[in-house]
Structures are given as structure tokens and as C-alpha cells.
Amino acid sequence: MGLALASVWGWERSPLATGGAGGALLAFVGYGGWELLRPARPGRRGRLAGVAAATFAVVTLFIAYTWSCGCS
């Protein structure tokens, strides 16, 4: 709900900046999915990759919950 309100407020202020921020968020979540699902390589995963993977997991769980929820 808060993200939707922030998007509406931002769209009223600057549609270009809001679209850019939304695109950046989508790219970050996509990067997290790529990091989470690609074959493991030797070495330590970076902090950014770990945060992106965790964000992807949270977004995926949230989407799965809202899809299966019978609430309105």
C-alpha cells in the first residue's frame, strides 16, 4: 500500500523520475532472480547480489500470497 501511494505521489510530481525509479526497482528484482537461479560459482556472493536475491524472494512470496489469497 505504501509503495502504491509513493508511486501515485511521485507520478504527480515527476512521471519521468517515477518511471525511472520503477524501472530501476524492476531491474534490481530481475538481477536478484538471476543471481538466485543461476548455477553457483566458486567464491563468495557479493552483498548487492545477496540483497537482490533476498528482495526477489520476498517479492515472489508476496506475489504468490496475493495470487492465492481469497481476501478482497
Side-chain angles (χ1 to χ4, degrees):
M1 176 88 169
L3 185 59
L5 289 175
S7 297
V8 169
W9 179 82
W11 190 263
E12 291 173 355
R13 301 280 185 222
S14 173
L16 184 62
T18 304
L25 181 63
L26 186 62
F28 185 70
V29 170
Y31 172 65
W34 179 71
E35 280 291 329
L36 194 61
L37 301 175
R38 74 182 179 134
R41 67 172 190 230
R44 190 175 78 107
R45 178 184 286 174
R47 287 185 185 179
L48 180 65
V51 170
T55 303
F56 175 78
V58 168
V59 167
T60 303
L61 289 173
F62 182 71
I63 289 172
Y65 170 74
T66 57
W67 194 312
S68 67
C69 179
C71 50
S72 49

